[in-house]
Amino acid sequence: MGFGSYDESEQQEVDADFDDDDAVQSSENSHDGSIEFENGASSDELLDRLKEIKDDG
């Protein structure tokens, strides 16, 4: 069989052998909220630092 060919006989039916109770429930780890971050630098300072980083490369 050539590269990229598709052969249906190679595909198998997957029978999941687990209960829904055993599965991870994504809702049990959901988080609502917000985050704030202050680095103490102004936008101009950050842009100047970005320019320095780009110029070094």
Side-chain angles (χ1 to χ4, degrees):
M1 183 179 310
F3 179 76
S5 298
Y6 178 79
D7 185 0
E8 289 183 24
S9 66
E10 293 178 0
Q11 303 303 312
Q12 298 176 357
E13 181 89 17
V14 176
D15 185 20
D17 190 21
F18 61 87
D19 296 327
D20 285 341
D21 295 335
D22 295 333
V24 174
Q25 302 298 319
S26 61
S27 60
E28 67 188 41
N29 293 320
S30 63
H31 303 281
D32 294 325
S34 63
I35 186 169
E36 291 183 26
F37 178 79
E38 287 189 35
N39 61 9
S42 70
S43 296
D44 288 336
E45 290 171 321
L46 294 173
L47 289 172
D48 288 344
R49 179 66 183 127
L50 178 61
K51 185 176 183 304
E52 289 172 15
I53 292 170
K54 286 184 175 183
D55 289 343
D56 288 343

